[in-house]
Coordinates of all heavy atoms in Angstrom, one line a residue:
R204 N 2.5 -9.7 -16.8 CA 3.3 -8.6 -16.3 C 4.3 -9.1 -15.2 O 5.3 -8.5 -15.0 CB 2.3 -7.5 -15.7 CG 1.5 -6.9 -16.8 CD 0.6 -5.8 -16.2 NE -0.5 -5.5 -17.1 CZ -1.4 -4.5 -16.9 NH1 -1.2 -3.6 -15.9 NH2 -2.4 -4.3 -17.8
V205 N 3.9 -10.1 -14.4 CA 4.8 -10.7 -13.5 C 6.1 -11.1 -14.2 O 7.2 -10.9 -13.8 CB 4.2 -11.9 -12.7 CG1 5.2 -12.6 -11.9 CG2 3.0 -11.4 -11.8
R206 N 5.9 -11.8 -15.3 CA 7.0 -12.3 -16.1 C 7.9 -11.2 -16.7 O 9.1 -11.3 -16.7 CB 6.5 -13.3 -17.1 CG 5.8 -14.5 -16.6 CD 5.3 -15.5 -17.7 NE 4.4 -16.5 -17.2 CZ 4.7 -17.6 -16.5 NH1 6.0 -17.8 -16.4 NH2 3.8 -18.4 -16.1
A207 N 7.2 -10.2 -17.1 CA 7.9 -9.0 -17.7 C 8.7 -8.3 -16.6 O 9.8 -7.8 -16.8 CB 6.9 -8.1 -18.4
A208 N 8.1 -8.2 -15.4 CA 8.8 -7.5 -14.3 C 10.0 -8.3 -13.9 O 11.1 -7.7 -13.7 CB 7.8 -7.4 -13.1
K209 N 9.9 -9.6 -13.9 CA 11.1 -10.4 -13.6 C 12.2 -10.3 -14.6 O 13.4 -10.1 -14.3 CB 10.7 -11.9 -13.5 CG 11.8 -12.9 -13.2 CD 12.4 -12.6 -11.8 CE 13.5 -13.6 -11.5 NZ 14.0 -13.4 -10.1
A210 N 11.8 -10.2 -15.9 CA 12.7 -10.0 -17.0 C 13.4 -8.7 -16.9 O 14.6 -8.5 -17.3 CB 12.1 -10.2 -18.3
D211 N 12.8 -7.7 -16.2 CA 13.4 -6.4 -16.1 C 14.1 -6.2 -14.7 O 14.5 -5.1 -14.4 CB 12.3 -5.3 -16.2 CG 12.8 -4.1 -16.9 OD1 13.8 -4.1 -17.6 OD2 12.2 -3.0 -16.7
G212 N 14.2 -7.3 -14.0 CA 15.0 -7.3 -12.8 C 14.3 -7.2 -11.5 O 15.0 -7.1 -10.4
F213 N 13.0 -7.3 -11.5 CA 12.2 -7.2 -10.2 C 12.0 -8.6 -9.6 O 11.7 -9.6 -10.3 CB 10.8 -6.6 -10.5 CG 10.9 -5.1 -10.7 CD1 10.9 -4.7 -12.0 CD2 10.9 -4.2 -9.7 CE1 10.9 -3.3 -12.3 CE2 10.9 -2.9 -9.9 CZ 10.9 -2.4 -11.2
D214 N 12.2 -8.7 -8.3 CA 11.9 -9.9 -7.6 C 10.6 -9.7 -6.7 O 10.1 -10.6 -6.1 CB 13.0 -10.3 -6.6 CG 14.2 -10.7 -7.4 OD1 14.1 -11.4 -8.3 OD2 15.3 -10.2 -7.0
L215 N 10.0 -8.5 -6.8 CA 8.8 -8.1 -6.0 C 7.9 -7.4 -6.9 O 8.3 -6.5 -7.7 CB 9.2 -7.3 -4.8 CG 10.2 -7.8 -3.8 CD1 10.5 -6.7 -2.7 CD2 9.6 -9.0 -3.1
V216 N 6.6 -7.7 -6.7 CA 5.5 -6.9 -7.4 C 4.3 -6.7 -6.5 O 4.2 -7.4 -5.5 CB 5.1 -7.6 -8.8 CG1 6.2 -7.7 -9.7 CG2 4.4 -8.9 -8.5
E217 N 3.4 -5.9 -6.9 CA 2.2 -5.7 -6.2 C 1.1 -5.3 -7.1 O 1.4 -4.8 -8.2 CB 2.4 -4.6 -5.1 CG 2.9 -3.3 -5.6 CD 3.5 -2.4 -4.4 OE1 4.7 -2.7 -4.0 OE2 2.8 -1.5 -4.0
F218 N -0.1 -5.5 -6.7 CA -1.3 -5.0 -7.6 C -2.4 -4.7 -6.6 O -2.3 -4.8 -5.4 CB -1.6 -6.0 -8.7 CG -2.1 -7.3 -8.3 CD1 -3.5 -7.6 -8.1 CD2 -1.2 -8.4 -8.1 CE1 -3.9 -8.9 -7.7 CE2 -1.6 -9.6 -7.7 CZ -3.0 -9.9 -7.5
H219 N -3.6 -4.3 -7.2 CA -4.7 -3.8 -6.4 C -5.7 -4.9 -6.2 O -5.4 -5.8 -5.5 CB -5.3 -2.5 -7.1 CG -4.3 -1.4 -7.2 ND1 -4.4 -0.4 -8.1 CD2 -3.1 -1.1 -6.5 CE1 -3.4 0.5 -8.0 NE2 -2.6 0.0 -7.0
L220 N -6.9 -4.7 -6.7 CA -8.0 -5.7 -6.5 C -7.7 -7.0 -7.2 O -7.1 -7.0 -8.3 CB -9.3 -5.1 -6.9 CG -9.6 -3.8 -6.2 CD1 -10.9 -3.2 -6.8 CD2 -9.8 -3.9 -4.7
W221 N -8.3 -8.1 -6.7 CA -8.0 -9.4 -7.2 C -9.2 -10.1 -7.9 O -9.0 -11.0 -8.7 CB -7.5 -10.4 -6.1 CG -8.4 -10.5 -4.9 CD1 -8.4 -9.8 -3.8 CD2 -9.5 -11.5 -4.8 NE1 -9.4 -10.2 -3.0 CE2 -10.1 -11.3 -3.6 CE3 -10.0 -12.5 -5.6 CZ2 -11.2 -12.0 -3.1 CZ3 -11.0 -13.3 -5.2 CH2 -11.6 -13.0 -3.9
R222 N -10.4 -9.7 -7.6 CA -11.5 -10.4 -8.1 C -11.6 -10.4 -9.6 O -12.2 -11.4 -10.2 CB -12.8 -9.9 -7.5 CG -12.9 -10.3 -6.0 CD -14.2 -9.8 -5.4 NE -14.3 -10.0 -4.0 CZ -14.7 -11.1 -3.4 NH1 -15.2 -12.1 -4.1 NH2 -14.7 -11.3 -2.1
D223 N -11.1 -9.4 -10.3 CA -11.2 -9.3 -11.7 C -9.9 -9.7 -12.4 O -9.7 -9.5 -13.6 CB -11.6 -7.9 -12.2 CG -10.6 -6.9 -11.7 OD1 -9.8 -7.2 -10.8 OD2 -10.6 -5.7 -12.3
K224 N -9.0 -10.4 -11.6 CA -7.7 -10.8 -12.1 C -7.6 -12.3 -12.3 O -8.3 -13.0 -11.6 CB -6.6 -10.3 -11.2 CG -6.7 -8.8 -10.8 CD -6.5 -7.9 -12.0 CE -6.2 -6.5 -11.6 NZ -7.1 -5.9 -10.7
P225 N -6.7 -12.8 -13.2 CA -6.5 -14.2 -13.4 C -5.6 -14.8 -12.2 O -4.4 -15.0 -12.4 CB -5.8 -14.3 -14.7 CG -5.0 -13.0 -14.8 CD -5.9 -12.0 -14.1
V226 N -6.2 -15.0 -11.1 CA -5.5 -15.4 -9.9 C -4.7 -16.6 -10.1 O -3.5 -16.7 -9.7 CB -6.4 -15.5 -8.7 CG1 -5.7 -16.0 -7.4 CG2 -7.0 -14.1 -8.3
E227 N -5.3 -17.6 -10.7 CA -4.5 -18.9 -10.9 C -3.3 -18.7 -11.8 O -2.2 -19.2 -11.5 CB -5.5 -20.0 -11.5 CG -4.9 -21.3 -11.6 CD -5.8 -22.4 -12.1 OE1 -7.1 -22.2 -11.9 OE2 -5.4 -23.4 -12.6
A228 N -3.5 -17.9 -12.8 CA -2.4 -17.7 -13.8 C -1.3 -16.8 -13.1 O -0.1 -17.0 -13.3 CB -2.9 -17.0 -15.0
I229 N -1.7 -15.9 -12.3 CA -0.8 -15.1 -11.5 C 0.1 -16.0 -10.6 O 1.3 -15.8 -10.5 CB -1.5 -14.0 -10.7 CG1 -2.1 -12.9 -11.7 CG2 -0.5 -13.3 -9.8 CD1 -3.0 -11.9 -11.0
G230 N -0.6 -16.9 -9.9 CA 0.1 -17.8 -9.0 C 1.1 -18.6 -9.7 O 2.2 -18.9 -9.2
A231 N 0.7 -19.1 -10.9 CA 1.7 -19.9 -11.7 C 2.9 -19.0 -12.1 O 4.0 -19.5 -12.1 CB 1.0 -20.4 -13.0
A232 N 2.6 -17.8 -12.5 CA 3.7 -16.9 -12.9 C 4.7 -16.6 -11.7 O 5.9 -16.6 -11.9 CB 3.2 -15.6 -13.5
L233 N 4.1 -16.4 -10.6 CA 4.9 -16.2 -9.4 C 5.8 -17.4 -9.1 O 7.0 -17.3 -8.8 CB 4.0 -15.9 -8.2 CG 3.2 -14.5 -8.2 CD1 2.2 -14.5 -7.1 CD2 4.2 -13.3 -8.2
A234 N 5.2 -18.6 -9.2 CA 5.9 -19.8 -8.9 C 7.0 -20.0 -9.9 O 8.1 -20.5 -9.5 CB 4.9 -21.0 -8.9
D235 N 6.7 -19.8 -11.2 CA 7.7 -20.0 -12.2 C 8.9 -19.0 -12.1 O 10.0 -19.4 -12.4 CB 7.1 -19.8 -13.6 CG 6.1 -20.9 -13.9 OD1 6.1 -22.0 -13.2 OD2 5.3 -20.8 -14.9
T236 N 8.6 -17.8 -11.7 CA 9.7 -16.8 -11.7 C 10.4 -16.6 -10.3 O 11.4 -16.0 -10.3 CB 9.1 -15.4 -12.1 OG1 8.0 -15.1 -11.2 CG2 8.5 -15.5 -13.5
G237 N 9.7 -17.0 -9.3 CA 10.2 -16.8 -7.9 C 9.9 -15.4 -7.4 O 10.4 -15.0 -6.4
V238 N 9.1 -14.6 -8.2 CA 8.7 -13.3 -7.8 C 7.7 -13.4 -6.6 O 6.9 -14.3 -6.6 CB 8.1 -12.5 -8.9 CG1 7.4 -11.2 -8.5 CG2 9.1 -12.2 -10.0
A239 N 7.8 -12.5 -5.6 CA 6.9 -12.4 -4.5 C 6.0 -11.2 -4.5 O 6.4 -10.2 -5.1 CB 7.7 -12.5 -3.2
L240 N 4.9 -11.3 -4.0 CA 3.9 -10.2 -3.9 C 4.2 -9.4 -2.6 O 4.3 -10.0 -1.5 CB 2.5 -10.7 -3.9 CG 1.9 -11.1 -5.2 CD1 0.5 -11.7 -5.0 CD2 1.9 -10.0 -6.2
T241 N 4.2 -8.1 -2.7 CA 4.3 -7.2 -1.5 C 3.0 -6.6 -1.1 O 2.9 -6.0 -0.1 CB 5.3 -6.1 -1.8 OG1 4.9 -5.3 -2.9 CG2 6.7 -6.6 -2.0
G242 N 1.9 -6.9 -1.9 CA 0.6 -6.3 -1.5 C -0.5 -6.6 -2.5 O -0.2 -6.5 -3.7
V243 N -1.7 -6.9 -2.0 CA -2.9 -7.0 -2.8 C -4.0 -6.4 -1.9 O -4.0 -6.5 -0.7 CB -3.2 -8.5 -3.0 CG1 -4.5 -8.6 -3.8 CG2 -2.1 -9.2 -3.8
C244 N -4.9 -5.7 -2.5 CA -6.0 -5.1 -1.8 C -7.1 -6.0 -1.4 O -7.4 -6.9 -2.1 CB -6.6 -3.9 -2.6 SG -5.5 -2.6 -2.9
V245 N -7.6 -5.8 -0.2 CA -8.8 -6.5 0.3 C -9.9 -6.1 -0.7 O -10.1 -5.0 -1.0 CB -9.2 -6.2 1.7 CG1 -10.6 -6.7 2.1 CG2 -8.1 -6.7 2.7
D246 N -10.7 -7.2 -1.2 CA -11.6 -7.0 -2.2 C -12.9 -7.8 -1.9 O -12.8 -9.0 -1.7 CB -11.0 -7.4 -3.6 CG -11.8 -7.1 -4.8 OD1 -12.9 -6.5 -4.7 OD2 -11.4 -7.6 -5.9
P247 N -14.1 -7.1 -1.9 CA -14.4 -5.8 -2.2 C -14.0 -4.8 -1.0 O -13.8 -5.2 0.1 CB -15.9 -5.8 -2.4 CG -16.4 -6.8 -1.4 CD -15.3 -7.9 -1.5
R248 N -13.8 -3.5 -1.4 CA -13.5 -2.5 -0.4 C -14.7 -2.2 0.4 O -15.8 -1.9 -0.2 CB -12.9 -1.3 -1.1 CG -11.6 -1.5 -1.7 CD -11.1 -0.1 -2.3 NE -9.7 -0.2 -2.8 CZ -9.4 -0.1 -4.0 NH1 -10.3 0.0 -5.0 NH2 -8.1 -0.1 -4.4
R249 N -14.6 -2.3 1.7 CA -15.8 -1.9 2.5 C -15.3 -1.0 3.7 O -14.1 -1.1 4.0 CB -16.5 -3.2 3.1 CG -17.2 -4.0 2.0 CD -18.4 -3.2 1.5 NE -19.2 -4.0 0.6 CZ -19.0 -4.0 -0.8 NH1 -18.1 -3.2 -1.3 NH2 -19.8 -4.7 -1.5
S250 N -16.2 -0.3 4.3 CA -15.8 0.7 5.3 C -15.4 0.0 6.6 O -16.0 -0.9 7.1 CB -17.0 1.6 5.6 OG -16.7 2.5 6.6
I251 N -14.4 0.6 7.3 CA -14.0 0.2 8.6 C -14.7 1.1 9.7 O -14.6 0.8 10.9 CB -12.5 0.2 8.8 CG1 -11.9 1.6 8.8 CG2 -11.8 -0.8 7.9 CD1 -10.4 1.7 9.1
V252 N -15.3 2.2 9.2 CA -15.9 3.1 10.2 C -17.4 3.0 10.2 O -18.1 3.5 11.2 CB -15.5 4.6 9.9 CG1 -14.0 4.7 10.2 CG2 -15.8 5.0 8.5
D253 N -18.1 2.4 9.2 CA -19.5 2.3 9.2 C -19.9 1.0 9.7 O -19.7 -0.1 9.1 CB -20.0 2.5 7.7 CG -21.5 2.6 7.6 OD1 -22.2 2.3 8.6 OD2 -22.0 2.9 6.5
P254 N -20.6 1.0 10.9 CA -21.0 -0.3 11.5 C -21.9 -1.1 10.5 O -21.9 -2.4 10.6 CB -21.8 0.1 12.7 CG -21.3 1.5 13.1 CD -21.0 2.1 11.7
A255 N -22.6 -0.5 9.7 CA -23.5 -1.2 8.7 C -22.7 -2.0 7.7 O -23.3 -2.9 7.1 CB -24.4 -0.2 8.0
E256 N -21.5 -1.7 7.5 CA -20.6 -2.4 6.6 C -19.6 -3.3 7.3 O -18.8 -4.0 6.6 CB -19.9 -1.4 5.7 CG -20.8 -0.7 4.7 CD -20.0 0.1 3.6 OE1 -18.8 -0.3 3.4 OE2 -20.6 1.0 3.0
R257 N -19.6 -3.4 8.6 CA -18.6 -4.1 9.3 C -18.6 -5.6 8.9 O -17.5 -6.1 8.6 CB -18.7 -3.9 10.8 CG -17.5 -4.6 11.5 CD -17.5 -4.3 13.0 NE -17.6 -2.9 13.3 CZ -17.9 -2.4 14.4 NH1 -18.3 -3.2 15.4 NH2 -18.0 -1.1 14.6
A258 N -19.7 -6.2 8.9 CA -19.8 -7.6 8.6 C -19.2 -7.9 7.2 O -18.5 -8.9 7.0 CB -21.2 -8.2 8.8
E259 N -19.6 -7.0 6.3 CA -19.1 -7.2 4.9 C -17.6 -7.0 4.8 O -16.9 -7.6 4.0 CB -19.8 -6.2 3.9 CG -21.3 -6.5 3.8 CD -22.0 -5.5 2.8 OE1 -21.3 -4.7 2.3 OE2 -23.2 -5.7 2.6
M260 N -17.1 -6.0 5.6 CA -15.7 -5.7 5.6 C -14.9 -6.9 6.1 O -13.9 -7.3 5.5 CB -15.4 -4.5 6.4 CG -13.9 -4.1 6.5 SD -13.1 -4.8 7.9 CE -11.4 -4.3 7.6
V261 N -15.4 -7.5 7.2 CA -14.7 -8.6 7.8 C -14.8 -9.8 6.8 O -13.8 -10.6 6.7 CB -15.3 -9.0 9.2 CG1 -14.7 -10.3 9.7 CG2 -15.0 -7.8 10.1
E262 N -15.9 -10.0 6.2 CA -16.0 -11.1 5.2 C -15.1 -10.9 4.0 O -14.6 -11.9 3.5 CB -17.5 -11.3 4.8 CG -17.8 -12.4 3.9 CD -17.4 -13.8 4.5 OE1 -17.4 -13.9 5.7 OE2 -17.1 -14.7 3.7
A263 N -15.0 -9.7 3.6 CA -14.1 -9.4 2.5 C -12.6 -9.8 2.8 O -11.9 -10.3 2.0 CB -14.1 -7.9 2.1
V264 N -12.2 -9.5 4.1 CA -10.9 -9.9 4.6 C -10.8 -11.4 4.5 O -9.8 -12.0 4.0 CB -10.6 -9.3 6.0 CG1 -9.3 -9.9 6.5 CG2 -10.5 -7.8 5.9
R265 N -11.8 -12.1 5.1 CA -11.8 -13.5 5.1 C -11.7 -14.1 3.7 O -10.8 -15.0 3.4 CB -13.1 -14.1 5.8 CG -13.1 -15.6 6.0 CD -14.5 -16.1 6.4 NE -15.1 -15.2 7.4 CZ -14.9 -15.3 8.7 NH1 -14.1 -16.2 9.2 NH2 -15.6 -14.5 9.5
E266 N -12.4 -13.6 2.8 CA -12.4 -14.1 1.4 C -11.1 -13.8 0.7 O -10.6 -14.6 -0.1 CB -13.6 -13.6 0.6 CG -14.9 -14.1 1.1 CD -16.1 -13.5 0.3 OE1 -15.8 -12.7 -0.6 OE2 -17.3 -13.9 0.6

Side-chain angles (χ1 to χ4, degrees):
R204 296 184 200 188
V205 169
R206 299 180 191 279
K209 179 64 175 181
D211 213 26
F213 287 95
D214 294 317
L215 302 173
V216 299
E217 54 198 81
F218 63 93
H219 297 159
L220 302 175
W221 58 268
R222 289 181 186 269
D223 61 343
K224 306 299 194 310
V226 174
E227 186 174 338
I229 293 170
L233 294 171
D235 290 347
T236 60
V238 170
L240 284 175
T241 56
V243 179
C244 294
V245 170
D246 186 5
R248 294 183 172 110
R249 291 293 184 267
S250 174
I251 65 173
V252 294
D253 188 346
E256 291 191 20
R257 185 177 303 164
E259 293 181 1
M260 181 269 174
V261 174
E262 184 59 26
V264 171
R265 188 191 314 275
E266 292 179 359

